Amino acid sequence: MLHEFSRTEMLIGTEGLNKLKKSTIAVFGIGGVGTFVVEGLVRSGVEKFVLVDDDDVCLTNINRQIHATRKTVGKPKVEVMRDRILEINPKAQVITYKELYNSESAPRLLSKDYSYVVDAIDMVSSKLDLIQRCKEMNIPIISSMGAGNKLNPTMLEVADIHKTSVCPLARVMRYELRKRGIKNLKVVYSKEAPITPKNIGGDCKTECICPSKDRTCVDRRQIPGSVSFVPSVAGLIIASEIVKDIINS
């Protein structure tokens, strides 16, 4: 009998598809990378998700985040992504947390019942805390390194963090993880040299039509530039790694 995942089942088999259906994937960071991780997983047959992000969809997210449209600007990212998941698979179970992940919120947001954790967080301190806790709890985790200021998706690679190069975020993470005694971590990173973003002028605080004008803005040169086809590819690579790890477990 044909179903929405019949063509996936042809590749991974009934047992593999059932493993995906029973898995619970927690995605921390529902942005350029995280949304495409979720998209790839729900279209692969994963039915249980935990989504964590404290932000709302912004006008500037439209260029790269799959849940961002004119209609969703101003809405919580986790709720918009939940609705998209359910449109694809109404049988899916989605838990959402509109919260910032940090050491204080970690006990509420992390569970030993997670089959896999995705680190698609921007803040280094939060990334480090999440990775360390997952290692201590023996939860499989994959981490996204910097996808901003890049134009070539073909230079993305999967590697252990201690075998990465070029990526400035990966360099910081290698140093901090060594200090914490973490010897291995699967990551997706780019070997492309970062491009220096151009100053396009203007003040985000006065020009942006998003509801969050009251937030403290920084010079746009300090914000990474981005395109649609690098974070998305990074997210889909992460989804593929999770699928392969789960069906082969």
Side-chain angles (χ1 to χ4, degrees):
M1 180 178 177
L2 294 177
H3 54 83
E4 63 266 55
F5 303 115
S6 292
R7 295 204 176 189
T8 305
E9 191 174 15
M10 291 170 64
L11 288 178
I12 67 176
T14 303
E15 182 182 357
L17 186 60
N18 287 336
K19 285 183 177 181
L20 292 176
K21 288 182 178 181
K22 294 175 182 177
S23 300
T24 300
I25 313 300
V27 183
F28 291 77
I30 309 300
V33 174
T35 53
F36 278 90
V37 174
V38 175
E39 185 81 5
L41 291 176
V42 68
R43 292 186 186 274
S44 298
V46 173
E47 291 188 350
K48 297 178 183 178
F49 291 91
V50 177
L51 310 180
V52 182
D53 197 301
D54 72 325
D55 208 0
D56 298 326
V57 177
C58 176
L59 182 69
T60 61
N61 298 154
I62 288 176
N63 81 322
R64 68 195 184 284
Q65 301 184 18
I66 202 165
H67 58 9
T69 67
R70 296 280 174 164
K71 291 182 179 180
T72 62
V73 167
K75 297 180 180 180
K77 290 184 176 182
V78 291
E79 294 180 11
V80 176
M81 200 67 217
R82 174 201 61 204
D83 294 346
R84 185 176 177 87
I85 290 170
L86 295 175
E87 286 180 359
I88 295 168
N89 184 1
K91 295 177 290 185
Q93 302 170 39
V94 188
I95 298 172
T96 62
Y97 293 99
K98 191 179 187 298
E99 290 190 53
L100 177 69
Y101 177 88
N102 54 33
S103 58
E104 293 181 2
S105 62
R108 294 192 304 276
L109 302 178
L110 264 180
S111 170
K112 64 180 180 180
D113 296 328
Y114 297 163
S115 307
Y116 223 113
V117 164
V118 177
D119 160 33
I121 303 172
D122 293 330
M123 293 173 55
V124 172
S125 59
S126 294
K127 293 175 83 72
L128 291 167
D129 187 89
L130 179 61
I131 293 163
Q132 184 164 7
R133 289 177 190 266
C134 284
K135 291 295 183 179
E136 291 170 353
M137 297 169 71
N138 293 317
I139 303 172
I141 181 170
I142 184 168
S143 183
S144 172
M145 296 293 103
N149 295 335
K150 306 292 176 71
L151 275 174
N152 188 349
T154 67
M155 298 190 76
L156 289 160
E157 295 185 3
V158 180
D160 182 83
I161 184 66
H162 298 296
K163 295 182 180 179
T164 58
S165 60
V166 181
C167 175
L169 176 57
R171 181 172 64 248
V172 173
M173 293 295 291
R174 287 196 307 269
Y175 174 76
E176 294 294 336
L177 290 173
R178 284 195 191 98
K179 290 200 302 184
R180 290 161 174 78
I182 295 174
K183 297 181 179 179
N184 56 78
L185 172 69
K186 183 185 283 193
V187 302
V188 172
Y189 80 107
S190 175
K191 280 190 172 180
E192 181 183 5
I195 298 167
T196 301
K198 297 174 175 60
N199 182 11
I200 61 174
D203 178 5
C204 184
K205 193 171 183 179
T206 58
E207 293 185 357
C208 186
I209 67 170
C210 301
S212 51
K213 284 183 181 178
D214 59 342
R215 70 173 59 179
T216 301
C217 294
V218 295
D219 188 295
R220 288 187 179 186
R221 287 172 295 183
Q222 296 176 309
I223 301 172
S226 63
V227 289
S228 62
F229 42 80
V230 176
S232 56
V233 172
L236 292 174
I237 290 172
I238 289 173
S240 75
E241 289 299 307
I242 293 171
V243 168
K244 290 183 289 184
D245 286 348
I246 289 174
I247 66 175
N248 292 323
S249 63

